[in-house]
Amino acid sequence: MRFSWRVSFFLGLSLLPGMTELEAMIVRKYPMKEVLKQSQYVFEGRVRSVDAQKQRFVVELKRELKGTSPFSRLNLNLKVSPKKEHPGLLLKRVRDGHPVVIFGTRVRGDFFFLGYTDGTWFSMGSKSAPSKDPASRGPAVCAFRYCELYLRRTYSGKTSELLKLLPDVLASRKPAPAYDPKVKPGVGPELKPAGKD
């Protein structure tokens, strides 16, 4: 049986409170072409205000690639992840000013977002209500779920290259990156400390 990521994630969110090991990671074949088709919103963001101690960071909207984003930024709370090692994995791969691609959709009133940055995919959900006026968009409070280890098969290259390619893919001028089943599950490389090569 095939489920879209929108449906599978929503089912994960719908499980009873108190269940800590939600196995809702995306493990099926999921090509970029399908990610883009199922995403209502695709936008370029920039990381800001990383707080490793509080396990929080913010992704600010920089450029819309598909649709009109309902939020101006995503305030991400990593503490709520059922995978306790995943917040630490993600925090080693983001810093202020770092580019992120966000793919988003709305399911029964809730929002689901996939984030991508230099080989690392992650998922998050939000119950925030968007403003009815796009000119006064506010933030979404998001709950971090997991680093999506298997989505590296969907794409595992540089964020800058993906951002350069996506406008042409969305305009049907170029094909989407091919799915590569040979890529091992995992996350991208850790960022080096600021100021070091």
Side-chain angles (χ1 to χ4, degrees):
M1 184 178 295
R2 297 184 61 190
F3 290 94
S4 72
W5 60 265
R6 289 185 282 185
V7 173
S8 62
F9 182 79
F10 180 78
L11 291 174
L13 286 181
S14 301
L15 295 175
L16 292 174
M19 295 183 70
T20 57
E21 293 298 325
L22 304 182
E23 296 296 335
M25 286 187 186
I26 300 167
V27 295
R28 72 174 181 85
K29 182 177 180 180
Y30 195 33
M32 179 63 74
K33 182 178 180 179
E34 192 173 340
V35 174
L36 294 171
K37 181 179 179 181
Q38 293 183 352
S39 296
Q40 294 171 302
Y41 321 103
V42 180
F43 64 86
E44 174 185 358
R46 284 289 184 277
V47 175
R48 73 171 199 181
S49 305
V50 177
D51 190 329
Q53 185 174 5
K54 292 183 178 179
Q55 295 190 7
R56 297 176 182 270
F57 70 86
V58 176
V59 176
E60 189 171 38
L61 171 67
K62 298 302 288 185
R63 177 174 56 132
E64 291 170 322
L65 301 170
K66 178 182 178 181
T68 300
S69 172
F71 304 106
S72 60
R73 64 185 183 274
L74 308 180
N75 297 339
L76 184 55
N77 179 3
L78 283 73
K79 284 186 176 181
V80 296
S81 174
K83 297 290 187 182
K84 298 307 178 186
E85 70 278 15
H86 284 212
L89 290 175
L90 185 55
L91 285 168
K92 291 177 181 177
R93 289 156 177 85
V94 294
R95 70 162 59 108
D96 288 5
H98 205 67
V100 181
V101 183
I102 300 293
F103 306 85
T105 193
R106 194 172 193 179
V107 181
R108 302 181 193 176
D110 295 334
F111 289 90
F112 172 59
F113 300 100
L114 283 174
Y116 179 80
T117 181
D118 289 336
T120 300
W121 288 86
F122 57 98
S123 57
M124 49 192 156
S126 177
K127 294 183 176 292
S128 295
S131 170
K132 294 181 180 179
D133 179 8
S136 60
R137 290 177 290 186
V141 176
C142 297
F144 172 62
R145 303 303 299 159
Y146 319 101
C147 290
E148 294 287 353
L149 308 180
Y150 289 86
L151 286 186
R152 283 176 53 80
R153 296 171 177 173
T154 299
Y155 183 79
S156 60
K158 293 182 178 179
T159 310
S160 58
E161 293 175 357
L162 183 59
L163 286 169
K164 185 176 180 180
L165 179 63
L166 281 179
D168 285 332
V169 174
L170 289 165
S172 300
R173 292 189 293 266
K174 291 184 179 179
Y179 181 85
D180 187 351
K182 296 180 181 179
V183 175
K184 293 182 179 180
V187 292
E190 292 183 18
L191 294 177
K192 295 179 180 178
K196 292 189 177 182
D197 295 331

